[in-house]
Amino acid sequence: MPSKLSRSIRLTTTALISAAIATLLFADPAAAHDNLLDSTPSAGDTVASLEAVSLTFSGELIDFGQASFAQIQGPDGLYYETSCSTIDLNVLTTPVALGEAGTYTILWNAVSSDGHPISESFQFQYAPEEGAEPALGWDLPACQNEQTRIQPGAVASASPTPTQSGQAAAATPAPAKSDRASDGSSEGMFVLVVLGGVFVLAAVIAMAVWLIRARGRRSK
C-alpha cells in the first residue's frame, strides 16, 4: 500500500512539473512586457494649451541612450518637442510648444522593465484660445538631433524674396554728400573769388600808378 501511494505522489508531481514547463514554453511572450497605463493628453483628447506630454507605464522603464522617448508631430508634419524626453521611474515626460491648431500625433518608444522595446502612436486635437501665439515646428525630432535640426518657418521669414530685395534696394536712398564736404566746397570757391578780386584790384592800381608816373615824366 505505501508503494502505491509513493508512486501516485511521484506521478502527480511529474504532471505538475510538466504542466508548469508547458505553461512557460507556450505562454504569450508579450504578457510580461510593460504597457502604457495613462497619458496626458490621452488619445482623442482636445486641449487648449499643453506644455508637456506625459506617459505613465505599468513598470519602471529602462533608460539608456535615449532609447525611450516621445515625438510630437503637428498637422504640418513638423515636430514640436522643445527638448528630449526625460524618465522618472515609470513616467516619461516630453516638453512641447505647439504650433497651429489641428491634429497632433504622439509617437512613443519605451524599453520596458524586462528589456523589451514597446512602441505605439495616438492622436489628440489642439484648439488654442483666440490670440495664442503658435510656436515654430522643427524639421527633425528633438532626441539626438539637438544640434542639427532647424525651424523651416524661421529660415523662410529670415530670407527675403527677390521682389522684397528689389524693393528694399529701390527704397534705399543714395548716400548724400556730407554737409561738411558741401561747406568745404563753398568755402573754397569763396576764397578763390576773393583772391581773384584782390589780384584784379592790384593790377588796376598798378596800372593807374604807372600811368600817373608816365604823365609826370612827359610834363617835365
Side-chain angles (χ1 to χ4, degrees):
M1 188 73 178
S3 61
K4 291 183 178 180
L5 180 61
S6 299
R7 184 178 179 185
S8 176
I9 292 173
R10 286 199 300 271
L11 290 174
T12 303
T13 303
T14 302
L16 290 173
I17 293 174
S18 299
I21 293 173
T23 300
L24 292 174
L25 289 176
F26 297 101
D28 183 4
H33 302 333
D34 297 329
N35 58 344
L36 182 65
L37 295 180
D38 190 23
S39 67
T40 304
S42 299
D45 279 356
T46 299
V47 298
S49 63
L50 189 67
E51 295 183 354
V53 168
S54 178
L55 306 175
T56 302
F57 294 87
S58 59
E60 183 175 342
L61 300 178
I62 297 177
D63 183 17
F64 64 92
Q66 296 181 338
S68 297
F69 59 84
Q71 300 171 356
I72 294 80
Q73 196 169 20
D76 52 5
L78 299 178
Y79 295 88
Y80 287 87
E81 315 99 60
T82 57
S83 65
C84 197
S85 306
T86 58
I87 295 173
D88 183 12
L89 299 178
N90 65 325
V91 179
L92 185 149
T93 303
T94 307
V96 298
L98 303 183
E100 299 290 347
T103 302
Y104 283 74
T105 302
I106 299 175
L107 307 95
W108 60 263
N109 186 83
V111 180
S112 61
S113 55
D114 66 347
H116 185 83
I118 52 178
S119 61
E120 192 179 316
S121 67
F122 61 89
Q123 294 180 328
F124 68 94
Q125 299 294 322
Y126 177 51
E129 297 179 357
E130 186 176 355
E133 185 69 23
L136 295 176
W138 301 83
D139 64 333
L140 297 172
C143 278
Q144 302 179 354
N145 299 301
E146 294 89 343
Q147 305 301 322
T148 57
R149 65 180 189 155
I150 61 173
Q151 293 178 303
V155 174
S157 62
S159 301
T161 62
T163 303
Q164 292 173 337
S165 299
Q167 290 174 349
T172 303
K177 295 181 180 179
S178 64
D179 295 338
R180 183 175 296 179
S182 177
D183 293 343
S185 299
S186 300
E187 290 175 0
M189 290 297 296
F190 178 75
V191 171
L192 290 177
V193 171
V194 171
L195 289 177
V198 170
F199 178 78
V200 172
L201 181 59
V204 171
I205 292 173
M207 181 65 69
V209 171
W210 182 81
L211 290 174
I212 293 171
R213 288 181 179 178
R215 288 180 181 177
R217 290 173 185 171
R218 291 177 183 175
S219 62
K220 290 179 180 181

